[in-house]
Amino acid sequence: MSSISPMVRATSQHPRAGAASPVRTALFLLFTGLLATAGPLVSAARAQSEVAPLTRYQLLPEYTVRLDEDGTCLVWRQHDAEPLLTVKVAGLLDGPRGKRRGLEDSGLTALLHERSPGGARGFSSDADDDQDGAVDEDRLDGLDNDGDGLVDEDFAAVSDHMAVVQRRLGGRFVHQESYHWPLPGLRSTFFLKLDTDVPDGATLELDGPAGHWLATNLATYEHLATGKAMSENLQPFVMRVPVAGEGQDSGWLWLGVLVLDGPDGWRAREDGTEGRLQLPLAGQPLVVAVALAPSWTRLSVELGMARRVYEGVADPVSGHRARWIVPATCSLCRTVAAPAASLKSTPDGDLLVTLAMTEGGAALVDCDLFSLAGKPLGPPSRLVWRPENQAAVKLDWQEVTPRTLQKHGGFAGHPFVRTGTDEAALSRHTGPGQLELTFPGAELSPGARPDARPEQLNGYWLDGRAFSARVQAPGKPAFTAVPTAQESQAAGGEGGSDPGTTSRSLRQAEHPPTLAPELLEGWPNPFQDVIQVRFKVPSTVGEAFVWVEEEDAPASLDKDAAVPWQGSGAVCSVKIYNINGQELVTLYEGSGISGEVTVSWNGTDSFGRQVASGTYFCKLQLDDWSVTRRVVYLR
């Protein structure tokens, strides 16, 4: 079998281990035992006619990718009879020639995640098990790839959801790994890493809807952890497909394929079949990212983040670079408050939406995905940024279509940013200002009642995080602002919900809720020195709680009502626990607070002692409600 290209390369002063240490032997016995055990972790070889789902990844609310045991990836839209996209290896194990020889398709499948037993990676002391300076040169395939007498002892488990499919037919093999992180900016992307010993003829086929894949250019835009803006040019393959609603088209969906690494001199090709893209394997590893996005700007963010994840990060001490580590994102972007909004009709009959951006915020919104009363507004025709005490910046907006890409050879990933102008100021963390968006043909109804029920203006930040803005419109608007429950009670009005009723609805419900996961976040994760933990004390029921199924929420519950804390405010704590549930340190304790708070943890317990590398749990407790996040410490 040909040698395997490592997923991570690094230099080390440690000599190559000549014999198995007790620790490595124990890891080897543990993991080989897991491989031999029937269950959800690993399944044995199966008959070719009995292809079953191995795992699923949720990409978008209605879209899921299903990975089958033969390595085929199927992207499905909910309730559709046929997959939207089929991704599979062709020209290797299938075809009449192999069947005539009577060769059996056999192999191995496994489900893993980062920090699985024996699968540590990155800068962890356990990542290089045989101490030869390389990680993943003895990958998970049931073979001794590095010839040291041990099997699968030095592989790298990648992402929160990793699946391995190793198939063999006679003397040929294909090794496939898939990765997925359910994180903002990465949620609707999955990765494939393939290797085969076939010198030519084998391809990775992507069969999509009728149409043609377009090789194009795009420019990504994002903020680093320091808040510094970064842009990068990429050359993906893209396709735009219509998304049908109830009796009418309700929008578009972009499909994007970015080759992160491939054989020397490779070229993608279409075989004449509409919707089919072929990426040759050529006996060398191929790494691709496949992304779905409801807008061009979101697609650029997903593919840009995919590139950064593949490139990984560098150890600040040794300078060694480890691939497949999600970089820390901008803390200001993650904590920026949702903007206030107002609406009015223009003399031309268009709808003008004004967003009030706060101090230190950035105008990194997806302008193509705003909706009002559940109805998409479509792409705007114009954008104006009005910073305080500065001149306004005006831009004509252009919807990105396949025809646009063909005409211009590509398009900037974020139209706010254009090289050589001051328009980049739109996306910097600057002072407060107003962002105005003009939507043609979406004027307010002039005959609406002033007391009509308000509707939410919904939007998205570039990384896919949703926000809702309270709508305010002058004159005779179709939508009017309504006070929150706290404002109604303070004014003595009758519009507020009774706290006792709200409390009973929550605590005595047939399906009790849990605290929203978005209330607790930490970055970077994994971390080496310090992790910043941001938590938020919510003000409304809708902001505070989530249900497993949305229909489980009590029908009478007012989600705009104030959270019914047991006292004058929430009793709040943030604590760190080890995997055995033992409390290590309290990061915060208090009561009566509101809004967002950021604390930090440097990897020590309450006595100041450094904890070991590994997985820990950060728990936010608000009264008797809680939410927990997993954090990973790498020493």
Side-chain angles (χ1 to χ4, degrees):
M1 180 174 295
S2 62
S3 61
I4 305 303
S5 298
M7 192 175 299
V8 178
R9 285 291 185 191
T11 58
S12 174
Q13 301 300 320
H14 297 292
R16 182 177 178 84
S21 67
V23 173
R24 288 192 288 116
T25 302
L27 288 171
F28 165 69
L29 293 175
L30 171 62
F31 199 76
T32 52
L34 291 172
L35 288 175
T37 302
L41 181 62
V42 178
S43 62
R46 66 280 174 269
Q48 194 170 15
S49 61
E50 298 177 354
V51 178
L54 179 61
T55 189
R56 289 179 172 85
Y57 308 141
Q58 188 73 40
L59 302 181
L60 293 171
E62 292 188 352
Y63 293 89
T64 304
V65 58
R66 187 187 83 190
L67 176 64
D68 289 345
E69 287 188 340
D70 64 355
T72 301
C73 294
L74 302 169
V75 178
W76 292 88
R77 186 189 182 197
Q78 188 178 4
H79 306 310
D80 280 358
E82 298 293 334
L84 172 71
L85 182 67
T86 300
V87 185
K88 65 180 181 179
V89 175
L92 177 68
L93 302 177
D94 304 317
R97 185 178 179 185
K99 294 180 180 179
R100 284 198 302 269
R101 289 181 176 180
L103 299 178
E104 181 182 358
D105 179 6
S106 62
L108 169 149
T109 60
L111 297 182
L112 302 156
H113 58 83
E114 291 179 2
R115 298 163 300 279
S116 294
R121 65 180 185 87
F123 307 125
S124 168
S125 59
D126 297 326
D128 179 16
D129 297 301
D130 56 4
Q131 299 182 359
D132 68 346
V135 175
D136 201 35
E137 87 276 21
D138 191 12
R139 62 186 173 187
L140 177 60
D141 58 3
L143 302 174
D144 177 18
N145 298 290
D146 56 2
D148 66 351
L150 297 177
V151 175
D152 301 329
E153 100 285 5
D154 198 18
F155 71 92
V158 177
S159 81
D160 293 338
H161 304 103
M162 175 183 180
V164 177
V165 176
Q166 172 90 16
R167 297 177 64 195
R168 301 185 188 93
L169 184 62
R172 300 301 190 190
F173 82 94
V174 61
H175 181 85
Q176 175 179 319
E177 298 174 356
S178 66
Y179 319 131
H180 180 247
W181 285 269
L183 300 173
L186 279 175
R187 189 181 307 273
S188 61
T189 299
F190 66 97
F191 299 82
L192 293 176
K193 182 174 186 285
L194 301 105
D195 196 10
T196 176
D197 62 349
V198 176
D200 54 55
T203 61
L204 179 67
E205 285 188 356
L206 299 100
D207 286 313
H212 293 282
W213 292 93
L214 178 64
T216 188
N217 297 296
L218 63 76
T220 68
Y221 186 86
E222 59 182 310
H223 285 171
L224 304 179
T226 59
K228 180 181 178 181
M230 188 190 77
S231 183
E232 182 179 9
N233 292 318
L234 303 176
Q235 291 78 43
F237 300 91
V238 300
M239 176 186 292
R240 191 174 80 152
V241 298
V243 177
E246 296 181 0
Q248 60 181 356
D249 288 345
S250 58
W252 299 91
L253 181 73
W254 283 98
L255 307 179
V257 179
L258 179 64
V259 177
L260 301 171
D261 200 359
D264 295 336
W266 74 274
R267 288 189 62 186
R269 60 180 183 268
E270 290 188 283
D271 67 353
T273 303
E274 280 200 344
R276 176 173 295 174
L277 178 68
Q278 293 182 316
L279 305 177
L281 298 179
Q284 298 180 45
L286 174 70
V287 184
V288 299
V290 182
L292 278 67
S295 71
W296 177 258
T297 49
R298 179 82 65 81
L299 183 70
S300 71
V301 171
E302 291 277 337
L303 294 181
M305 181 62 77
R307 165 59 68 182
R308 289 190 61 203
V309 169
Y310 179 65
E311 293 173 346
V313 297
D315 185 342
V317 177
S318 66
H320 298 163
R321 178 169 290 276
R323 293 195 188 276
W324 300 116
I325 293 182
V326 178
T329 55
C330 176
S331 58
L332 290 174
C333 288
R334 293 165 63 95
T335 59
V336 64
S342 62
L343 308 176
K344 71 176 183 180
S345 295
T346 68
D348 296 330
D350 299 330
L351 176 65
L352 180 65
V353 176
T354 302
L355 302 177
M357 297 297 176
T358 58
E359 176 75 33
L364 292 177
V365 297
D366 193 329
C367 297
D368 293 336
L369 293 182
F370 280 98
S371 63
L372 187 61
K375 180 181 179 180
L377 296 178
S381 59
R382 198 180 191 199
L383 178 148
V384 179
W385 169 241
R386 300 185 186 277
E388 285 191 359
N389 304 319
Q390 296 182 40
V393 178
K394 302 178 181 180
L395 291 176
D396 290 330
W397 199 264
Q398 182 177 8
E399 181 183 8
V400 180
T401 67
R403 180 173 295 182
T404 303
L405 300 177
Q406 290 175 325
K407 180 179 179 181
H408 299 284
F411 203 82
H414 196 298
F416 290 176
V417 183
R418 297 183 184 177
T419 305
T421 72
D422 292 333
E423 293 158 3
L426 283 167
S427 300
R428 297 181 186 141
H429 289 293
T430 58
Q434 291 186 334
L435 184 66
E436 298 177 356
L437 304 103
T438 301
F439 295 94
E443 62 179 319
L444 294 171
S445 172
R449 294 182 295 107
D451 60 345
R453 177 178 176 82
E455 300 288 354
Q456 290 285 79
L457 176 73
N458 295 318
Y460 292 89
W461 302 108
L462 279 191
D463 63 8
R465 293 175 295 123
F467 66 85
S468 296
R470 284 161 54 81
V471 177
Q472 297 174 346
K476 294 183 178 180
F479 309 109
T480 58
V482 292
T484 63
Q486 300 98 310
E487 292 168 342
S488 294
Q489 293 166 9
E494 300 177 356
S497 298
D498 176 63
T501 301
T502 303
S503 179
R504 287 190 296 272
S505 297
L506 289 169
R507 301 176 190 276
Q508 300 176 11
E510 180 180 355
H511 302 283
T514 60
L515 280 182
E518 294 79 13
L519 299 178
L520 178 65
E521 297 181 299
W523 69 93
N525 190 18
F527 75 101
Q528 284 186 291
D529 299 317
V530 176
I531 183 172
Q532 303 295 327
V533 177
R534 181 190 68 84
F535 66 92
K536 183 176 183 179
V537 178
S539 58
T540 66
V541 170
E543 185 182 29
F545 302 106
V546 294
W547 282 261
V548 175
E549 300 291 343
E550 188 63 28
E551 54 266 28
D552 291 341
S556 59
L557 185 65
D558 181 7
K559 293 188 177 181
D560 291 326
V563 180
W565 305 122
Q566 295 179 359
S568 58
V571 176
C572 173
S573 68
V574 178
K575 298 182 179 183
I576 302 293
Y577 299 81
N578 63 18
I579 58 175
N580 296 320
Q582 298 169 318
E583 180 182 329
L584 297 180
V585 64
T586 297
L587 303 181
Y588 181 90
E589 274 189 327
S591 61
I593 67 168
S594 61
E596 297 179 349
V597 178
T598 299
V599 295
S600 62
W601 182 46
N602 61 359
T604 60
D605 62 14
S606 58
F607 298 98
R609 298 172 299 192
Q610 207 74 32
V611 301
S613 296
T615 300
Y616 297 87
F617 298 97
C618 182
K619 181 180 180 182
L620 169 64
Q621 186 82 38
L622 297 174
D623 281 359
D624 54 351
W625 309 97
S626 67
V627 61
T628 301
R629 289 283 194 180
R630 182 187 67 177
V631 299
V632 179
Y633 180 46
L634 304 176
R635 293 184 60 180

